[in-house]
Amino acid sequence: MSGTTPFPLGNNVAKRPVLHVYGCGRAARVIARWLFEARQVDIGQICNRAPGSSSAAVEFIGAGQAVEQMDHSVTGGWLLLGLPDSAIAAGALGLSCRMPGQPDLVFHLSGSMSAGVLEPLGCPAASIHPARAFADPDRALEAMPGTWCAGEGAAYALEILKPALVAAGARWLTLPGAGKPAYHAATVVASNYLVTMTDFARRLTDSAGMDPEAAADLLASLQAGTLDNLRGRAADSVLTGPIERSDEAAMARLLGSVDHLGPAAGDLFRALGRATLELAEQKRGRGPTDPALRRLFTSRSG
């Protein structure tokens, strides 16, 4: 992986910052390796709850020192808290009580929590959320160039972190702290809920008796085409299908097949139908059979 460095080479060059990681899970180790391979940071101490996990993170990153407890070496470096959202505040507080050194800045990777939870560490703090799924670290690493990173927090920390991330290949946007929950909700809908909807669709193709491998590929191709159509366009302009056509009879047939999967599937299909009908009406105005569609989508499941 390559990237230009914001720390120019020469006789009076500042050394690359040293990145230390406390809680080096999948996302944190990808970010650390990405920045290291792009020559934006050197890697320092890696501290996880289990020593074996720290060593595995060092092996993945290709640099760093696995430690059981961070020490004065963090002074002047960057500290990344790669902890789960539920543990960040407690982790920052606990670390502040036993870490003898003082980082130059600290940041976490949460999409919904502000940088303010890092205040106990007493240094400029930021939150940097990469809009990328990290279920498979190797695939995530390959996809990092071009990834949007949403930053929020102290101006000093953002001014230092932004050029390093952009030089590594990221696209950048700055968020107000108050907007983070809505931003993260948007990413959950766009990514996590897409996974849930894909599972829903695959269950329906299974019930249709389709070959699972062929069906999965068919659905993925359809989704890829839809996502491509959505790029840079209003969502309602891309909408097609029986709801957009106000075809109540077709939707009634589909709903019958969905109800065979159980009440939860039926409720989800109806809720999505109501939302899609609103989008269709936004696009084309109210159709003559829309009231019948609305009644269908508010009927009881099962």
Side-chain angles (χ1 to χ4, degrees):
M1 238 176 252
S2 63
T4 58
T5 175
F7 307 99
L9 300 178
N11 293 332
N12 298 318
V13 173
K15 292 173 62 179
R16 284 197 294 268
V18 178
L19 176 67
H20 308 277
V21 186
Y22 184 73
C24 198
R26 289 176 297 188
R29 65 184 61 182
V30 168
I31 297 302
R33 179 170 164 180
W34 174 53
L35 291 174
F36 174 66
E37 290 187 346
R39 295 172 54 84
Q40 301 308 303
V41 299
D42 290 324
I43 305 298
Q45 297 184 345
I46 305 294
C47 183
N48 283 0
R49 181 180 301 174
S53 178
S54 300
S55 298
V58 168
E59 183 177 359
F60 178 85
I61 296 167
Q65 177 189 6
V67 299
E68 294 186 9
Q69 184 171 320
M70 290 186 158
D71 60 28
H72 65 278
S73 299
V74 303
T75 300
W78 297 359
L79 176 61
L80 165 58
L81 266 67
L83 300 168
D85 286 13
S86 60
I88 291 175
L93 182 61
L95 194 56
S96 69
C97 298
R98 61 179 184 271
M99 188 173 64
Q102 180 67 52
D104 188 43
L105 61 85
V106 59
F107 64 105
H108 65 64
L109 303 176
S110 170
S112 59
M113 299 184 71
S114 76
V117 299
L118 301 177
E119 286 182 0
L121 290 165
C123 58
S127 67
I128 306 295
H129 183 252
R132 174 67 55 197
F134 293 95
D136 183 330
D138 289 313
R139 294 184 68 176
L141 183 66
E142 292 177 1
M144 283 306 298
T147 294
W148 281 99
C149 290
E152 173 269 331
Y156 171 82
L158 295 180
E159 288 169 5
I160 297 297
L161 289 165
K162 177 181 176 180
L165 290 161
V166 171
R171 290 187 283 178
W172 177 272
L173 62 87
T174 302
L175 282 175
K180 288 207 70 179
Y183 155 77
H184 199 216
T187 65
V188 167
V189 171
S191 179
N192 303 148
Y193 286 3
L194 178 61
V195 174
T196 303
M197 294 306 303
T198 300
D199 177 70
F200 188 9
R202 288 178 179 179
R203 289 170 60 201
L204 285 165
T205 56
D206 286 346
S207 71
M210 297 175 64
D211 173 72
E213 186 174 343
D217 189 66
L218 180 154
L219 294 171
S221 297
L222 181 62
Q223 289 172 319
T226 300
L227 291 172
D228 187 60
N229 289 338
L230 281 165
R231 190 177 297 274
R233 298 177 62 185
D236 61 1
S237 71
V238 177
L239 186 64
T240 62
I243 296 177
E244 193 273 340
R245 297 192 299 271
S246 196
D247 191 338
E248 185 266 343
M251 291 307 301
R253 289 193 296 273
L254 303 187
L255 191 56
S257 66
V258 172
D259 281 338
H260 283 300
L261 296 182
D267 290 342
L268 177 57
F269 194 84
R270 286 169 172 81
L272 291 168
R274 292 192 296 272
T276 305
L277 180 57
E278 290 182 8
L279 192 63
E281 291 178 340
Q282 177 181 306
K283 172 186 178 182
R284 55 162 168 72
R286 178 163 293 188
T289 57
D290 283 355
L293 271 173
R294 189 166 279 103
R295 287 191 298 271
L296 182 68
F297 294 142
T298 54
S299 62
R300 296 190 64 179
S301 178

